Amino acid sequence: YILNFTMNSQLFTNMDIYLKIDVKLLGINIFTYILAGLITIFLSLNFLLGPGWLGQLIGLEGTGTFTQMSDSLPDTIDLSSSENLL
């Protein structure tokens, strides 16, 4: 049991070295952390405010809530006509 405890403690002390090597190999730096933070913020806001909130805030047309209906879409569709029956 003492041998296992000694080996485990050595593994945990050396784990920091392996983590640093992995971070260097993956190319993780401060910009990666900033990007991950921004992604988290925007996905959270998308979940809370709904899709299209940023475009609506900026003022882009066609984003956010839909207030105009296209003229090419019919108001009603009769599904009981012969062409729609199986």
Side-chain angles (χ1 to χ4, degrees):
Y1 179 75
I2 294 173
L3 181 63
N4 280 340
F5 179 75
T6 307
M7 288 176 61
N8 283 338
S9 64
Q10 286 176 353
L11 284 175
F12 285 126
T13 55
N14 292 335
M15 198 171 238
D16 187 41
I17 296 168
Y18 292 122
L19 184 63
K20 286 180 183 178
I21 291 172
D22 288 344
V23 166
K24 281 217 178 252
L25 285 175
L26 292 173
I28 297 174
N29 55 25
I30 188 68
F31 298 113
T32 309
Y33 294 118
I34 292 171
L35 183 62
L38 287 173
I39 288 171
T40 304
I41 289 170
F42 278 105
L43 285 178
S44 300
L45 287 173
N46 239 11
F47 180 73
L48 291 173
L49 302 175
W53 64 270
L54 184 59
Q56 193 174 13
L57 185 69
I58 294 173
L60 295 175
E61 285 190 38
T63 59
T65 57
F66 296 106
T67 56
Q68 299 175 352
M69 182 177 266
S70 174
D71 295 332
S72 64
L73 295 174
D75 290 336
T76 58
I77 299 173
D78 182 21
L79 295 177
S80 64
S81 63
S82 62
E83 67 226 16
N84 293 327
L85 296 176
L86 293 176

